[in-house]
């Protein structure tokens, strides 16, 4: 049988450990990111040091060791655990005769290959150009000509030789204008959702923790047309870069807006976070956050910390949060179960999804009050508003008006007091 799959580029990963207790975790992440960029990790090295060597990142002895190991394993790319300076990258490429990719460029390449919508593509292009701008340099060896797009067609930048600062400056300006136009359209949609009193719930968390699977589970359980609304799911880092927004209509007449946001990872490049702030707006507008965590991962605690760090960076503060420990089916613990205000569950288990929905309901509808109302038969707009923004428990048309029992949000309670009975 002929294997038509293209061979993966062999990569050697390495980093400098400055007495960081999380170093092993970051190196595991780096290996996963390298695999996600369609490369095969064939080996790795680390140097324990008090500081980074300014011109070469590693010391000369470690560079020679890495060069020998990498070439012996037929690696073509050296992937490094930190963001390097342009000088460090050029010097390492000269000394090792390998293409050098730092952590930031690696993540940018992955994002470029995953971008699907116009907004996501523009955001990645902007971050990529901002990364490339200080790295422009006349080619000193032919390795420089391989940069910009990676080993697969990224579509997010040209080679360094074809770019100069003026060209990049113009491109950045053009992309910012395009992004502004796209963002304004998204803001209109978001404003419409914000006008509604329906609570907004946002799924956040580490990439590949199961956010999209959780959304699909809720859609399957509570929507008759779930097949048309399912979001893309794949077992890989950054499977989707776009925020998906769906309305979840629970069986007891409660509804909420659910958004599935981009996943996070340690040391997410600042330019990328800045570029994706518009995409992450749903998180800032939420009434409740659900931090989806892979409970089967030994690095779970660091992942929770990573998510919190990114939320802090984009200015998300003071929003109530449920920590949802997913993938319990991969552990030996009993599930589903509520643990205080959090939940241990499996996103592929219907019982778990129902329990999660109950927990969401308890958190976002706790301050709703039950009202007995009589609306005049002429108050069609008010009746429609209640159906759209409240939980209508019963409705009875009588001669003196429409008799209703409804749970109403705090902001709407004053509006309907005149109809109280």
């Amino acid at each position: 049988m002929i294997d038509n799959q293209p061979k993966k580029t062999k990569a050697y990963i390495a980093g400098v450990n400055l007495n960081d207790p999380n170093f092993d975790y970051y190196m595991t992440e780096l290996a996963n990111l390298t695999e996600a960029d369609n490369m095969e990790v064939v080996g790795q090295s680390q140097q324990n040091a008090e500081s980074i060597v300014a011109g070469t990142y590693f010391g000369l002895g470690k560079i020679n060791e890495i060069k020998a190991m990498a070439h012996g394993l037929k690696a073509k790319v050296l992937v490094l655990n930190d963001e390097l300076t342009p000088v460090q990258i050029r010097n390492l490429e000269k000394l090792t005769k390998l293409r050098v990719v730092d952590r930031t460029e690696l993540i940018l390449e992955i994002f470029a290959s995953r971008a699907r919508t116009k907004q996501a593509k523009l955001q990645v292009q902007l971050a990529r150009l901002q990364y490339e701008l200080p790295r422009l340099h006349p080619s000193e060896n032919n390795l420089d000509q391989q940069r910009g797009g990676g080993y697969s067609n990224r579509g997010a930048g040209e080679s360094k030789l074809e770019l100069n600062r003026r060209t990049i400056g113009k491109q950045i300006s053009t992309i910012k204008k395009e992004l502004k136009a796209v963002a304004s359209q998204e803001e209109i949609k978001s404003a419409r959702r914000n006008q509604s009193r329906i609570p907004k719930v946002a799924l956040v968390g580490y990439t590949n923790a199961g956010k999209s699977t959780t959304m699909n589970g809720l859609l399957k359980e509570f929507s008759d047309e779930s097949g048309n609304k399912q979001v893309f799911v794949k077992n890989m880092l950054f499977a989707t870069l776009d925020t998906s927004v769906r309305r979840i209509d629970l069986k007891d007449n409660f509804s909420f807006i659910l958004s599935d946001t981009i996943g996070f990872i340690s040391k997410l490049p600042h330019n990328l976070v800045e570029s994706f702030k518009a995409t992450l707006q749903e998180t800032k507008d939420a009434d409740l956050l659900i931090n989806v965590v892979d409970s089967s991962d030994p690095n779970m605690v660091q992942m929770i910390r990573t998510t919190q760090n990114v939320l802090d960076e984009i200015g998300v503060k003071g929003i109530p949060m449920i920590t949802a420990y997913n993938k319990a089916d991969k552990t030996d613990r009993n599930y589903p179960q509520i643990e205080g205000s959090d939940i241990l569950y499996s996103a592929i288990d219907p019982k778990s999804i129902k329990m999660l929905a109950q927990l969401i309901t308890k958190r976002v509808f706790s301050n709703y009050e039950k009202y007995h109302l009589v609306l005049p038969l002429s108050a069609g707009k008010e009746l429609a508003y209640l159906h759209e923004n409240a939980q209508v428990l019963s409705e009875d048309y009588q001669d003196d008006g429409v008799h209703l029992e409804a749970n109403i949000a705090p902001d709407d309670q004053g509006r309907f007091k005149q109809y109280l009975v």
Side-chain angles (χ1 to χ4, degrees), residues 385-397:
Y385 183 90
L386 279 172
H387 276 288
E388 184 66 24
N389 298 285
Q391 182 199 25
V392 177
L393 303 170
S394 65
E395 184 177 356
D396 183 27
Y397 284 78

Side-chain angles (χ1 to χ4, degrees), residues 195-250:
Q195 284 171 3
S196 166
R197 299 297 188 197
I198 300 177
K200 292 170 288 296
V201 179
L203 296 161
V204 299
Y206 197 87
T207 181
N208 209 29
K211 297 183 300 300
S212 297
T213 306
T214 299
M215 174 177 263
N216 285 343
L218 287 163
L219 285 167
K220 186 176 180 182
E221 188 65 35
F222 298 106
S223 175
D224 294 332
E225 302 172 11
S226 62
N228 299 325
K229 298 179 182 177
Q230 297 276 299
V231 295
F232 178 72
V233 172
K234 192 169 182 181
N235 183 25
M236 64 190 212
L237 302 184
F238 305 113
T240 178
L241 304 183
D242 304 299
T243 297
S244 301
V245 181
R246 303 288 189 271
R247 175 171 168 149
I248 306 292
D249 296 307
L250 304 177

Side-chain angles (χ1 to χ4, degrees), residues 49-340:
E50 294 298 319
S51 61
I52 299 289
V53 178
T56 53
Y57 184 63
F58 298 109
L60 195 56
K62 180 59 70 172
I63 293 171
N64 289 330
E65 177 192 309
I66 289 170
K67 179 181 177 181
M69 293 286 290
H71 283 278
L73 293 165
K74 298 191 174 358
K76 301 294 182 188
V77 184
L78 175 61
V79 182
L80 301 176
N81 190 39
D82 295 293
E83 181 171 324
L84 272 64
T85 67
V87 171
Q88 287 170 336
I89 290 174
R90 284 196 296 274
N91 288 339
L92 279 174
E93 287 188 334
K94 279 185 192 173
L95 292 167
T96 64
K97 301 293 186 261
L98 296 165
R99 179 191 170 214
V100 174
V101 176
D102 68 10
R103 189 184 182 99
T104 298
E105 182 172 5
L106 180 67
I107 294 173
L108 287 170
E109 286 188 359
I110 296 168
F111 270 53
S113 67
R114 303 284 195 267
R116 294 289 176 268
T117 64
K118 181 179 180 181
Q119 186 180 27
K121 287 176 181 176
L122 288 170
Q123 287 165 328
V124 176
Q125 280 181 311
L126 178 60
R128 179 82 201 202
L129 289 169
Q130 288 170 330
Y131 170 82
E132 287 285 348
L133 190 58
R135 288 164 171 75
L136 292 178
H137 191 270
S139 179
E140 294 174 0
N141 60 62
N142 62 4
L143 290 164
D144 275 335
Q145 297 175 34
Q146 297 173 352
R147 309 193 67 80
Y151 270 79
S152 59
N153 182 17
R154 305 300 179 196
E158 303 166 54
S159 74
K160 292 206 297 189
L161 290 176
E162 295 165 345
L163 293 170
N164 55 45
R165 283 185 174 80
R166 187 177 297 172
T167 305
I168 286 188
K170 284 180 180 176
Q171 287 180 327
I172 288 174
S173 179
T174 301
I175 290 171
K176 281 184 174 178
K177 283 178 186 173
E178 286 187 69
L179 265 177
K180 199 172 180 182
V182 174
S184 66
Q185 293 169 5
E186 293 301 317
E187 280 170 15
I188 290 168
K189 292 179 190 174
S190 181
R192 283 182 193 145
R193 286 194 288 271
N194 288 338
Q195 284 171 3
S196 166
R197 299 297 188 197
I198 300 177
K200 292 170 288 296
V201 179
L203 296 161
V204 299
Y206 197 87
T207 181
N208 209 29
K211 297 183 300 300
S212 297
T213 306
T214 299
M215 174 177 263
N216 285 343
L218 287 163
L219 285 167
K220 186 176 180 182
E221 188 65 35
F222 298 106
S223 175
D224 294 332
E225 302 172 11
S226 62
N228 299 325
K229 298 179 182 177
Q230 297 276 299
V231 295
F232 178 72
V233 172
K234 192 169 182 181
N235 183 25
M236 64 190 212
L237 302 184
F238 305 113
T240 178
L241 304 183
D242 304 299
T243 297
S244 301
V245 181
R246 303 288 189 271
R247 175 171 168 149
I248 306 292
D249 296 307
L250 304 177
K251 290 183 170 66
D252 53 5
N253 291 332
F254 278 124
S255 297
F256 60 90
I257 302 295
L258 182 66
S259 59
D260 172 24
T261 61
I262 181 176
F264 303 147
I265 201 162
S266 301
K267 304 183 185 180
L268 201 57
H270 180 71
N271 283 342
L272 212 47
V273 174
E274 280 296 312
S275 297
F276 275 80
K277 270 189 176 174
T279 301
L280 293 165
Q281 186 62 40
E282 296 293 338
T283 306
K284 297 179 77 172
D285 292 338
D287 299 297
L288 175 69
L289 300 178
I290 301 177
N291 180 9
V292 181
V293 179
D294 181 352
S295 65
S296 69
D297 196 297
N299 298 308
M300 179 179 69
V301 174
Q302 290 99 319
M303 290 174 174
I304 294 172
R305 195 176 298 129
T306 292
T307 297
Q308 192 56 59
N309 289 342
V310 178
L311 290 173
D312 289 344
E313 187 171 352
I314 63 175
V316 176
K317 296 184 188 298
I319 299 175
M321 180 187 287
I322 291 170
T323 302
Y325 296 93
N326 187 25
K327 304 188 183 181
D329 52 298
K330 295 183 178 180
T331 72
D332 56 3
R333 299 183 63 191
N334 293 324
Y335 70 93
Q337 58 175 304
I338 304 288
E339 300 175 336

